[in-house]
Amino acid sequence: MENKKISLKDGFFKQNIVFMSGLLIAPVIACATTLGKSLAMCLVFSLVSFLTILLCRVIPRKIAYTLRVIIYSLVASAIYIPSVLLTTTVMGGDVIASAGVYLPILVTNSLILSKSESRFYVESFGDMVPDVLCFIAGFDAACIFTGAVREILAKGTIGGAYLDMPFTIPALETTFGGFLFVGIMAGFARGLYNHHKAKLLRAVADEEDELAEYAEDMGEFLTGKKNSEPDKIRIYKPSKKKKDDAPTNILDMDFSDNRSLVEEFAAIVAGGAELSPDESGGDENWSVEESEDMSGEDEGSQESAENKEDNEE
Amino acid sequence: MTAFMNVLMASIIAIFVQNSIFERALGINVLLYASRKREHLLGFFAAITYTTTISSAIIWIFDGLFAENEYYSIFMPILYVAVVSVLYILTLVLIWRFFPKLFRNIRKYVHLSVFNCSVIGALFLCSVQGADIFTYIGYGFGTGIGFLLAAYLLYIAADRLNSPLVPAAFRGFPIMLVYVGILSLALYAFTGYTTSAV
């Protein structure tokens, strides 16, 4: 679930195809000058991209990508026809006409031709659908924001309604105004992301410091010695299988980078497990002999050990 | 002579006055990719110029046939994509047959250079701007040259735009957009633009 959350954020913000990765910026720069045009473009883009990516998933991967890309473009062009007819009905023909060549070129957008191969078709169908929707929502949000702000600043209106603006910047309607606006917005979006990332890293560093202190206390508690180098303590789980399989049940507790095991171990200690020196190990090796009511946690710790092994693989 | 002049004038307009990148922002994401390496730059230029020049001559025939149809504008994308696709396949087969080494080199990015906003957009602009087959061809050819001009201007500035002097958040793609915007502003003078505020 956690991974899914991260990937959804990716499409909307972290890998936003307008402000962060720049995969689809031509229509936003040149065409998103009013809210109406932005909305029309978003509607066409959403329908064409979503349905094309969904339909083209069934195309066999045996066909070379240099040829598959043709099918993607043709499918997108076919879906473009009903999409434009629908948008004309909803938004009116004038908006479609004012968008000019920027609606038809959406059939060769990078979300369909590049991102589908590198990301969407690698995922399972269940993961792909929300991921695609988030990427599309990311484009829509960026496009509508750009269109609305440029209309306000360039014309002093929003959606055609007059706003009493003290000044206007007509150059924002032009292509070079679009380049400058989107470039500056992309810089701000990246700055915001970098700031957020630095904040997260600081939080993780603080947490690791706390865990290091906790691990030191834990080592002192286990060995009865101060500065007992807790990073080297190894905990042997009681093997339920043959003795030959024992090494698979070893949990190497590296306190410095494995917080989940530290927490798990703390839970075992707090739950009344008996600690005794391991027979085969030295002074630094301990085994955890669990009481009967700890069986549920044992399964959990087994799972986490397996997960750890999977991750390492 | 008139035909040559038509081709030349359409090309000059496509390069300087209605440059597909600076004036229309068509294929800007491809430009950002192509300007990273010299080989990419030349490869993209060759592919775009070849495709737009040949395709524009073919679509002139279809435009002449279907121009009266009221739904033609809706069917244009699928027709243009089909034309580009046929040309793409035929060219790839020829390259694969006679220049296998070249085929191996270009196959990684050839689809990017053919199926993009720059090529499809150029064909739509040909349809809007073109009057006869020579202006179609001139416009298609000029689009490729205009792309090379834009890509080269970005290529020579890439090192400075990615230098540590540029704030980290703006380094790379955002500062390149600002740079292209300033170049676009400079080329805007060719259209004789006046702001509505004046």
Side-chain angles (χ1 to χ4, degrees):
Chain A
M1 191 62 193
E2 187 62 24
N3 286 338
K4 203 174 271 185
K5 274 184 184 171
I6 289 167
S7 78
L8 293 182
K9 275 185 203 167
D10 276 5
F12 193 78
F13 184 66
K14 191 181 165 188
Q15 291 189 28
N16 186 292
I17 55 174
V18 178
F19 291 140
M20 299 300 276
S21 61
L23 277 176
L24 185 58
I25 43 179
V28 178
I29 288 170
C31 187
T33 53
T34 65
L35 185 61
K37 277 201 275 185
S38 302
L39 287 171
M41 200 155 56
C42 290
L43 190 53
V44 174
F45 170 79
S46 305
L47 289 171
V48 169
S49 300
F50 183 68
L51 294 176
T52 306
I53 291 169
L54 223 59
L55 286 176
C56 289
R57 192 181 167 91
V58 298
I59 294 168
R61 309 276 290 182
K62 288 176 187 173
I63 302 170
Y65 176 59
T66 33
L67 298 177
R68 274 205 312 274
V69 73
I70 297 172
I71 305 171
Y72 296 168
S73 304
L74 288 171
V75 170
S77 308
I79 293 171
Y80 171 81
I81 296 167
S83 304
V84 165
L85 290 173
L86 178 72
T87 310
T88 308
T89 311
V90 175
M91 308 282 300
D94 293 343
V95 179
I96 303 293
S98 66
V101 301
Y102 295 97
L103 289 184
I105 63 167
L106 290 175
V107 301
T108 52
N109 76 66
S110 301
L111 200 66
I112 296 171
L113 300 183
S114 305
K115 211 69 183 174
S116 57
E117 284 292 320
S118 63
R119 184 180 175 108
F120 301 139
Y121 296 158
V122 180
E123 299 169 330
S124 68
F125 186 79
D127 288 345
M128 186 195 80
V129 172
D131 200 20
V132 172
L133 287 173
C134 281
F135 269 89
I136 289 171
F139 173 84
D140 291 349
C143 186
I144 290 169
F145 170 76
T146 307
V149 172
R150 282 172 80 182
E151 187 181 351
I152 292 169
L153 294 178
K155 292 181 172 177
T157 61
I158 180 77
Y162 180 74
L163 300 172
D164 192 15
M165 293 287 290
F167 65 92
T168 54
I169 312 170
L172 269 180
E173 258 193 305
T174 61
T175 308
F176 67 80
F179 274 119
L180 296 174
F181 182 81
V182 175
I184 290 167
M185 284 299 124
F188 279 128
R190 287 183 170 208
L192 198 67
Y193 172 69
N194 289 346
H195 176 73
H196 178 66
K197 205 167 122 184
K199 203 175 163 185
L200 279 179
L201 284 173
R202 274 199 301 274
V204 168
D206 291 346
E207 199 178 338
E208 280 179 354
D209 287 346
E210 282 176 20
L211 280 167
E213 281 177 26
Y214 177 72
E216 198 174 323
D217 295 344
M218 182 73 79
E220 191 181 331
F221 167 72
L222 287 171
T223 59
K225 297 172 188 174
K226 284 196 173 182
N227 302 321
S228 55
E229 296 182 0
D231 283 4
K232 291 183 181 175
I233 290 174
R234 304 177 82 199
I235 297 170
Y236 288 73
K237 293 182 69 183
S239 174
K240 290 177 182 174
K241 298 178 185 174
K242 292 176 186 175
K243 281 193 174 180
D244 296 345
D245 297 333
T248 57
N249 293 321
I250 292 172
L251 293 179
D252 285 318
M253 288 191 67
D254 186 347
F255 289 97
S256 61
D257 64 7
N258 201 327
R259 278 166 290 164
S260 63
L261 283 177
V262 171
E263 286 162 10
E264 190 183 327
F265 181 68
I268 291 170
V269 172
E274 292 178 23
L275 299 171
S276 63
D278 188 78
E279 289 174 2
S280 59
D283 291 340
E284 290 177 350
N285 298 327
W286 291 76
S287 71
V288 180
E289 292 174 10
E290 295 176 18
S291 51
E292 286 178 0
D293 58 346
M294 296 291 292
S295 56
E297 288 183 20
D298 181 35
E299 283 171 17
S301 50
Q302 180 76 29
E303 279 173 16
S304 62
E306 284 169 0
N307 289 339
K308 187 190 170 193
E309 283 171 13
D310 289 344
N311 290 337
E312 283 171 355
E313 282 175 16
Chain B
M1 189 63 187
T2 312
F4 176 73
M5 284 306 291
N6 279 354
V7 171
L8 187 67
M9 284 309 295
S11 299
I12 289 172
I13 287 171
I15 295 166
F16 296 110
V17 184
Q18 294 182 358
N19 187 294
S20 66
I21 300 293
F22 296 130
E23 164 74 16
R24 305 275 182 177
L26 291 170
I28 181 72
N29 53 336
V30 180
L31 178 85
L32 296 175
Y33 177 79
S35 60
R36 287 180 198 164
K37 288 182 183 176
R38 187 186 284 265
E39 311 89 72
H40 283 182
L41 194 148
L42 294 173
F44 273 78
F45 156 67
I48 289 174
T49 310
Y50 170 79
T51 313
T52 51
T53 308
I54 307 283
S55 302
S56 59
I58 300 168
I59 64 154
W60 174 77
I61 301 167
F62 289 110
D63 282 356
L65 287 173
F66 303 115
E68 301 299 317
N69 192 315
E70 62 176 314
Y71 293 109
Y72 181 50
S73 63
I74 299 174
F75 288 93
M76 276 162 100
I78 197 163
L79 186 67
Y80 288 5
V81 168
V83 168
V84 171
S85 302
V86 171
L87 185 67
Y88 170 74
I89 291 171
L90 289 176
T91 311
L92 272 188
V93 169
L94 285 175
I95 293 175
W96 171 72
R97 180 73 183 80
F98 297 107
F99 308 99
K101 195 178 173 185
L102 177 65
F103 179 78
R104 280 197 297 275
N105 288 339
I106 64 169
R107 67 177 294 182
K108 284 180 187 170
Y109 62 85
V110 68
H111 56 277
L112 273 179
S113 58
V114 174
F115 291 93
N116 59 55
C117 307
S118 188
V119 171
I120 301 293
L123 297 181
F124 281 102
L125 290 176
C126 280
S127 182
V128 175
Q129 308 283 339
D132 54 26
I133 189 168
F134 302 112
T135 48
Y136 269 69
I137 293 171
Y139 207 90
F141 181 72
T143 301
I145 305 287
F147 181 88
L148 178 69
L149 174 73
Y152 184 70
L153 286 173
L154 205 57
Y155 172 72
I156 56 176
D159 285 344
R160 291 187 180 186
L161 294 177
N162 288 310
S163 77
L165 294 171
V166 177
F170 278 83
R171 213 171 293 152
F173 149 68
I175 196 69
M176 280 184 173
L177 280 188
V178 173
Y179 173 69
V180 173
I182 293 166
L183 291 175
S184 169
L185 173 60
L187 281 177
Y188 229 70
F190 285 117
T191 62
Y193 177 77
T194 52
T195 60
S196 61
V198 176

